[in-house]
Amino acid sequence: MLTMKDIIRDGHPTLRKVAKEVPMPPSDEDKKTLQLLMEYVKNSQDEEMVKKYGLRPGIGLAAPQINVSKRMIAVHVTDENGKLYSYALFNPKIVSHSVEKAYLVKGEGCLSIDEPHPGFVPRYARVTVKGFDIDGKEVKIRAKGLPSICFQHEIDHLNGILFYDHIDQEQPFKPIENAIPIK
Ligand SMILES: [Zn+2]
């Protein structure tokens, strides 16, 4: 299993690389990596595991964050209605998005970033994501609210982008036009 020791931190060059596509059907090694990502996210939401292994809680993790520069993410998050979005994906891609924006009122955090970077991170309010599941089967997901933001944050990692890159440096809390605040 993965612990915080396996997660690389801001400043590590892998976090700034564009990750490589994973060939389909996935190899056993790539499947294993994808499983480890999801296992970390789930464990990090389990109070006992958090205490036992000193995990930092998260709702998503991308392969570059464990120093594997390949296009894989795991997302395990519930929306405001309690609906669970639990997806481990190879080669995830945003295929369409709303014009409307959204942002987390408390700002974003990242398991690879120890320092706080306060400020609003503009995201699309709604996204449609396509990718391949652990068996190499194509999946299509529509997400809004927190799950939508989580997908965008994780897919950014595959392109070497960190959340604070999106924050307005001059005015971090400048209101974002045409955007839904998410609590
Ligand atoms: Zn992150």
Side-chain angles (χ1 to χ4, degrees), residues 28-100:
D28 288 344
E29 192 195 345
D30 289 336
K31 285 185 183 182
K32 179 75 197 162
T33 304
L34 191 62
Q35 277 166 342
L36 283 171
L37 294 175
M38 180 54 94
E39 184 191 50
Y40 179 91
V41 180
K42 287 182 179 172
N43 285 343
S44 83
Q45 295 177 24
D46 179 322
E47 217 177 300
E48 269 181 41
M49 295 299 274
V50 165
K51 266 193 220 151
K52 193 168 173 191
Y53 296 103
L55 308 179
R56 194 178 144 197
I59 56 175
L61 189 62
Q65 295 181 270
I66 58 164
N67 203 17
V68 174
S69 195
K70 294 182 180 181
R71 305 186 81 82
M72 311 182 199
I73 63 168
V75 165
H76 188 77
V77 61
T78 45
D79 69 10
E80 73 275 17
N81 301 317
K83 185 185 169 196
L84 176 66
Y85 286 72
S86 187
Y87 292 97
L89 299 176
F90 294 114
N91 305 329
K93 210 168 121 182
I94 295 168
V95 292
S96 67
H97 62 77
S98 59
V99 171
E100 193 174 31

